[in-house]
């Protein structure tokens, strides 16, 4: 019998690497979902408006403004300033970095699943991550949270790789990546705590724990100046009076705990559940613990917790398929579970999906006002709600403004003393008032002067409710007429 000679290695057909699909499919799916409806009917919400306003300032102005407020986002504003300079300050430039960052995060989640539980678990974890409602929401936000999530994802991958292969450069990559995440948003440091818990529970060798401790110390040392400087700006989170959008965190945490009870496939020195559960639960839990003293829990602050949720759900689906011997019905059930995550995607791409709509607010002010009318913000910090489109308020006189936001290096400008505001209000027969809804108003003499003057000398003529605000036209008693 003739002996078959195998073809040379150079011409031997190679099967595609599982890593290619695990990385590529979640990345492309997240990219497609992020680009779908990215303009949201050409609307934006208040926090994105702040990004636009500050990124349009030069770097020195961003730095001077950060000394007064929003220091925790200064690095993001600087990055967006450079992008605006290259590509223009449009909605695509504002949101595309978040889309790309979340796509990179999805590929990292897939690789984590591959390393910890195999190719199928990795692919499913990456797909679940792409379809999670919170991931899709912040993939289309012109803020820093998607970038933080991507950096934490790849720092977590560097952590797992560093445990398996003890090379100093891996821990250097881990430390630099985590530091960048923390400089973009301080609460990324809570992921560092979760990583430490993972290593302790995994009982890694002492050299590994020492290497991680050195990297963690470097992250804390690099972050410390920002923490000290930003501590004096704690008033900017005074609007948080209780856990914000806590229900989502609770649901995914419970789902994660239930998935962790299944016989998940795992390999390597770090088990999947031991990595995923701390990063899913611990950061949010730590913020909740502080709530009685200082409420700080906002779902987007711990967005990276979705890494743990996706890993656990993907591994559970892999376990389900394995136990069902990958039958056709099991695959249909897995596909149905993924499809169930698509439904919330439709609502996320509407203007109503955010807590306010600065485009609609500006348009309502433009429609309500007449040239020469007064303009009043209740409170003054909500001047940012119309700053995205200055032409909406161009014909109106801002009655309380003493110094504009740019020249004062602030977000909302500097207002006149209470007595001067009241006096200026009495010089006008019509005032358009912008009042944010669902936000606690500060106890301030200026705000008291505004409301008392309106109550004593004006009548409410017409109110227009919009997403996140009410636009009210007030007229003086002697100015009332049948024609309005």
């Amino acid at each position: 019998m003739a002996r078959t000679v195998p073809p040379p290695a150079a011409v031997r057909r190679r099967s595609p690497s599982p890593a290619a699909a695990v990385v590529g499919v979640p990345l492309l799916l997240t990219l497609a979902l992020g680009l779908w409806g990215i303009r949201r009917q050409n609307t934006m919400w208040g926090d994105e408006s702040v990004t636009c306003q500050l990124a349009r300032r030069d770097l020195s102005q961003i730095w001077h403004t950060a000394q007064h407020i929003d220091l925790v986002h200064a690095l993001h504003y600087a990055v967006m300033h450079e992008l605006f300079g290259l590509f223009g300050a449009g909605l695509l430039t504002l949101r595309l970095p978040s889309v790309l960052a979340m796509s990179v995060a999805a590929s990292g989640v897939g690789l984590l699943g591959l390393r910890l539980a195999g190719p199928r678990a990795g692919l499913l974890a990456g797909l679940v991550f792409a379809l999670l409602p919170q991931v899709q929401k912040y993939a289309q936000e012109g803020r820093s949270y998607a970038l933080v999530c991507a950096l934490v994802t790849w720092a977590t991958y560097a952590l797992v790789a560093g445990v398996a292969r003890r090379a100093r450069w891996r821990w250097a990559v881990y430390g630099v990546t985590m530091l960048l995440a923390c400089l973009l948003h301080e609460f990324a440091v809570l992921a560092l705590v979760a990583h430490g818990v993972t290593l302790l529970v995994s009982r890694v060798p002492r050299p590994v724990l020492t290497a991680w401790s050195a990297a963690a110390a470097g992250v804390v040392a690099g972050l410390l100046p920002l923490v000290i400087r930003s501590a004096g700006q704690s008033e900017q989170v005074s609007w948080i009076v209780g856990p914000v959008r806590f229900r989502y965190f609770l649901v995914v945490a419970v789902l994660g705990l239930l998935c962790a009870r299944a016989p998940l496939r795992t390999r390597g020195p770090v088990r999947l559940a031991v990595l995923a559960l701390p990063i899913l639960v611990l950061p949010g839990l730590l913020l909740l613990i502080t709530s009685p003293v200082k409420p700080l829990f906002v779902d987007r602050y711990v967005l990276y917790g979705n890494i743990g949720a996706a890993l656990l759900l993907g591994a559970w689906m892999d376990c389900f398929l394995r136990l069902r011997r990958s039958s056709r019905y099991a695959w249909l059930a897995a596909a149905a579970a993924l499809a169930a995550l698509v439904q919330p995607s439709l609502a996320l791409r509407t203007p109503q999906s955010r807590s306010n709509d600065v485009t609609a607010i500006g348009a309502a002010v433009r429609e309500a006002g007449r040239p020469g009318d007064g303009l009043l913000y209740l409170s003054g910090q909500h001047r940012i709600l119309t700053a995205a489109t200055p032409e909406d308020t161009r014909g109106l006189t801002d009655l309380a403004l003493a110094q504009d936001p740019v020249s004062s290096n602030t977000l909302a400008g500097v207002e006149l003393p209470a007595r001067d505001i009241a006096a200026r209000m009495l010089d006008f027969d019509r005032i358009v008032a912008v009042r944010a809804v669902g936000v606690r108003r500060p106890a301030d003499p200026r705000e008291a002067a505004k409301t008392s003057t309106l109550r004593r000398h004006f009548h409410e003529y017409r109110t227009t409710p919009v997403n996140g605000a009410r636009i009210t036209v007030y007229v003086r008693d002697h100015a009332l007429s049948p024609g309005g």
Side-chain angles (χ1 to χ4, degrees):
M1 181 181 294
R3 185 178 177 183
T4 303
V5 180
V11 298
R12 191 177 300 158
R13 183 175 298 176
R14 295 180 179 180
S15 59
S17 168
V22 168
V23 170
V25 175
L27 186 148
L28 292 175
L29 177 61
T30 310
L31 184 63
L33 291 173
L35 294 175
W36 169 34
I38 190 173
R39 291 184 178 274
R40 290 201 303 274
Q41 302 174 32
N42 291 319
T43 63
M44 73 171 67
W45 79 295
D47 280 13
E48 289 182 303
S49 175
V50 172
T51 301
C52 275
Q53 293 166 54
L54 286 179
R56 288 186 181 120
R57 303 179 189 182
D58 61 43
L59 292 177
S60 64
Q61 289 174 322
I62 292 173
W63 173 249
H64 289 307
T65 302
Q67 305 311 302
H68 301 97
I69 193 169
D70 251 9
L71 181 61
V72 294
H73 296 296
L75 177 59
H76 182 241
Y77 296 146
V79 171
M80 294 307 300
H81 168 83
E82 298 299 328
L83 293 176
F84 280 6
L86 290 172
F87 305 108
L91 281 177
L92 282 178
T93 309
L94 176 67
R95 293 174 180 156
L96 195 56
S98 294
V99 175
L100 297 175
M102 206 63 92
S103 302
V104 171
S107 65
V109 170
L111 273 182
L112 275 169
L114 169 66
R115 191 173 192 112
L116 296 173
R120 187 168 61 187
L123 179 61
L124 290 169
L127 294 176
V128 168
F129 181 84
L131 293 170
L132 286 173
Q134 198 180 48
V135 169
Q136 291 191 56
K137 178 177 181 178
Y138 292 105
Q140 293 186 336
E141 291 287 314
R143 298 295 279 173
S144 64
Y145 306 109
L147 279 73
V148 172
C149 187
L151 288 167
V152 171
T153 302
W154 283 94
T156 305
Y157 185 81
L159 174 84
V160 174
V163 171
R165 297 181 181 178
R166 305 171 196 175
R168 290 183 179 179
W169 69 267
R170 295 180 186 274
W171 292 108
V173 169
Y174 170 80
V176 170
T177 309
M178 275 302 307
L179 180 58
L180 282 174
C182 293
L183 292 176
L184 281 169
H185 199 279
E186 291 177 4
F187 288 159
V189 76
L190 300 177
L192 195 70
V193 179
H195 291 160
V197 170
T198 293
L199 295 181
L200 289 173
V201 174
S202 299
R203 297 182 180 179
V204 296
R206 184 176 294 275
V208 171
L209 199 56
T210 301
W212 175 84
S213 299
V219 173
V220 172
L223 180 63
L224 197 57
L226 176 63
V227 173
I228 294 172
R229 293 293 295 272
S230 64
Q233 300 180 0
S234 60
E235 188 173 335
Q236 71 182 81
V237 292
S238 61
W239 61 272
I240 308 174
V241 295
V244 178
R245 288 181 291 274
F246 167 68
R247 185 179 301 175
Y248 179 90
F249 169 75
L250 181 62
V251 169
V252 295
V254 170
L255 281 175
L257 289 168
L258 291 175
C259 290
R261 293 175 60 87
L264 305 180
R265 177 184 291 167
T266 191
R267 59 189 187 185
V270 177
R271 292 185 291 120
L272 184 141
V274 172
L275 177 78
L277 274 177
I279 204 167
L280 168 61
V281 176
L282 195 57
L285 185 61
L286 290 173
L287 290 184
L288 287 171
I289 290 172
T290 68
S291 292
V293 179
K294 179 69 175 178
L296 289 173
F297 182 92
V298 181
D299 63 341
R300 58 183 177 268
Y301 292 172
V302 289
L303 177 65
Y304 51 82
N306 287 281
I307 301 167
L311 287 171
L312 288 165
L313 286 168
W316 179 87
M317 293 171 70
D318 173 62
C319 176
F320 175 78
L321 292 170
R322 176 164 42 86
L323 294 177
R324 298 289 178 178
R325 297 174 184 256
S326 299
S327 71
R328 180 176 60 184
Y329 299 106
W331 277 107
L332 288 174
L338 290 173
L341 296 172
V342 176
Q343 178 59 32
S345 302
L346 300 174
L348 289 173
R349 284 154 180 81
T350 64
Q352 293 74 29
S353 63
R354 271 56 177 180
S355 58
N356 55 52
D357 180 356
V358 299
T359 309
I361 293 170
V365 170
R366 183 179 66 245
E367 185 177 340
R370 300 174 181 175
D373 284 354
L375 177 62
L376 200 65
Y377 295 92
L378 304 170
S379 66
Q381 65 185 0
H382 296 123
R383 192 168 279 105
I384 61 174
L385 295 178
T386 60
T389 49
E391 58 271 17
D392 290 333
T393 59
R394 191 156 289 157
L396 308 179
T397 301
D398 194 330
L399 300 177
L401 188 64
Q403 191 176 6
D404 68 87
V406 176
S407 63
S408 62
N409 293 314
T410 61
L411 293 181
V414 177
E415 295 201 328
L416 294 163
R419 182 180 299 179
D420 294 343
I421 294 173
R424 290 195 71 186
M425 290 172 66
L426 295 177
D427 290 337
F428 287 76
D429 290 332
R430 282 172 50 98
I431 293 176
V432 179
V434 179
R435 180 183 285 106
V437 298
V439 179
R440 184 176 61 180
R441 292 176 58 189
D444 183 271
R446 295 177 177 86
E447 302 307 319
K450 295 174 189 177
T451 54
S452 64
T453 305
L454 287 174
R455 185 173 58 251
R456 292 169 58 190
H457 300 283
F458 291 81
H459 282 79
E460 182 178 324
Y461 175 64
R462 181 175 61 248
T463 295
T464 303
V466 291
N467 183 16
R470 287 187 294 141
I471 313 303
T472 303
V473 177
Y474 289 91
V475 297
R476 291 287 293 275
D477 292 342
H478 62 77
L480 287 172
S481 64

